[in-house]
Amino acid sequence: DTIAREGVLPPGFEMQEGMMSTTPLRFRKPCAPVALGRVIPLKFSAMLFGSKKHPKIACDDPLTEDWLTGWAETTRLWSKMKQARNLGGAMGAVGLGYKFVVGKPIVEIHDPRWCTPTFTDRSELIVERFEKRYQFSEQIRTPDGYETIWFWYRRVLDADYDVIWPKVRVQEGEEPNWLTERYEAVKHGYGHCPIVWVQNTEVDEAIDGSEDLCGAWPLVESVDMLNSQARKAAIANC
């Protein structure tokens, strides 16, 4: 108790830089995080969609079952579903879609951070319109060297069209005039928006569900703090 109050170290012990910081532990970056927030969703996904663990397709009609099994292999369905569960388990929701390119079926996984779904039926999560938008940077060569330029990627899907703006320059504080920018529009002809929005754990009247670690974040932070402090003490004094 005396050492703690006076901030004095006994002979033979060392003090690392920053160990007497007045900043609370929860505001410091842990030096030896356990990363449970990443490990737990990955473990759940591996148990559900891992190698030799994914669900099996079964049907009363052998020809239909064979076709669906071949479709799952062609689209790499189970690895895609593993990716979708990783995102949904970590953030609470995920978007899944499909398309055909020159006759080849493709399953798409949409990161929910960049997506905004609009529903025809909110309770059943039936998607009417789906927008995906994010910014990315590129190194552009200029007479003075290279400059980092930011661009928008935007994609909008509904019951009739799939529209993509692949590269639109980001303007300072302004929304681009999307109608005048270069875009690619395809009439898919599915008759519905080819997106399924899935909540990890259902939450009524919400767009996103609950993530795998819902309610456990203080415990995760405590584990990281304890492991990091033990590491610092062992390295400094042992």
Side-chain angles (χ1 to χ4, degrees), residues 5-110:
R5 281 198 299 269
E6 297 179 359
V8 177
L9 285 176
F13 284 78
E14 297 180 4
M15 176 63 70
Q16 285 186 325
E17 182 180 355
M19 289 188 68
M20 293 297 289
S21 172
T22 58
T23 305
L25 280 177
R26 65 180 180 275
F27 295 131
R28 302 185 213 168
K29 182 178 180 180
C31 62
V34 182
L36 288 178
R38 179 174 178 80
V39 171
I40 291 176
L42 293 178
K43 290 293 185 180
F44 284 165
S45 300
M47 288 191 290
L48 184 58
F49 293 116
S51 177
K52 299 181 180 180
K53 295 182 181 295
H54 60 71
K56 303 296 183 183
I57 297 175
C59 181
D60 294 335
D61 181 5
L63 292 178
T64 302
E65 180 177 331
D66 184 63
W67 188 92
L68 289 173
T69 301
W71 178 84
E73 292 177 357
T74 300
T75 59
R76 298 172 53 244
L77 175 65
W78 303 120
S79 64
K80 292 288 187 178
M81 292 300 293
K82 185 177 181 180
Q83 177 188 355
R85 222 237 58 100
N86 285 337
L87 291 171
M91 290 179 276
V94 68
L96 295 88
Y98 71 91
K99 65 181 179 180
F100 291 87
V101 178
V102 195
K104 180 182 179 181
I106 297 176
V107 173
E108 298 182 299
I109 307 302
H110 301 283

Side-chain angles (χ1 to χ4, degrees), residues 43-207:
K43 290 293 185 180
F44 284 165
S45 300
M47 288 191 290
L48 184 58
F49 293 116
S51 177
K52 299 181 180 180
K53 295 182 181 295
H54 60 71
K56 303 296 183 183
I57 297 175
C59 181
D60 294 335
D61 181 5
L63 292 178
T64 302
E65 180 177 331
D66 184 63
W67 188 92
L68 289 173
T69 301
W71 178 84
E73 292 177 357
T74 300
T75 59
R76 298 172 53 244
L77 175 65
W78 303 120
S79 64
K80 292 288 187 178
M81 292 300 293
K82 185 177 181 180
Q83 177 188 355
R85 222 237 58 100
N86 285 337
L87 291 171
M91 290 179 276
V94 68
L96 295 88
Y98 71 91
K99 65 181 179 180
F100 291 87
V101 178
V102 195
K104 180 182 179 181
I106 297 176
V107 173
E108 298 182 299
I109 307 302
H110 301 283
D111 191 323
R113 288 175 295 178
W114 323 127
C115 302
T116 305
T118 303
F119 303 104
T120 55
D121 188 337
R122 185 70 173 266
S123 61
E124 296 295 329
L125 298 179
I126 298 176
V127 179
E128 177 184 26
R129 183 178 181 274
F130 185 80
E131 180 176 357
K132 184 176 184 178
R133 183 198 296 208
Y134 57 84
Q135 293 182 5
F136 64 95
S137 63
E138 286 188 2
Q139 293 289 326
I140 305 298
R141 188 171 184 177
T142 65
D144 299 326
Y146 286 89
E147 181 181 357
T148 301
I149 305 296
W150 286 87
F151 299 93
W152 283 108
Y153 171 91
R154 185 188 184 205
R155 183 179 180 187
V156 177
L157 293 122
D158 57 23
D160 299 310
Y161 286 93
D162 184 350
V163 186
I164 297 178
W165 288 263
K167 192 174 180 180
V168 177
R169 180 77 174 268
V170 174
Q171 303 296 332
E172 185 68 28
E174 296 181 5
E175 180 79 0
N177 186 350
W178 299 105
L179 295 178
T180 61
E181 299 288 349
R182 181 178 67 87
Y183 64 88
E184 304 166 5
V186 176
K187 190 171 184 179
H188 52 68
Y190 301 143
H192 62 274
C193 183
I195 296 291
V196 177
W197 188 257
V198 182
Q199 291 184 346
N200 182 53
T201 301
E202 292 188 6
V203 177
D204 292 338
E205 303 302 323
I207 294 178

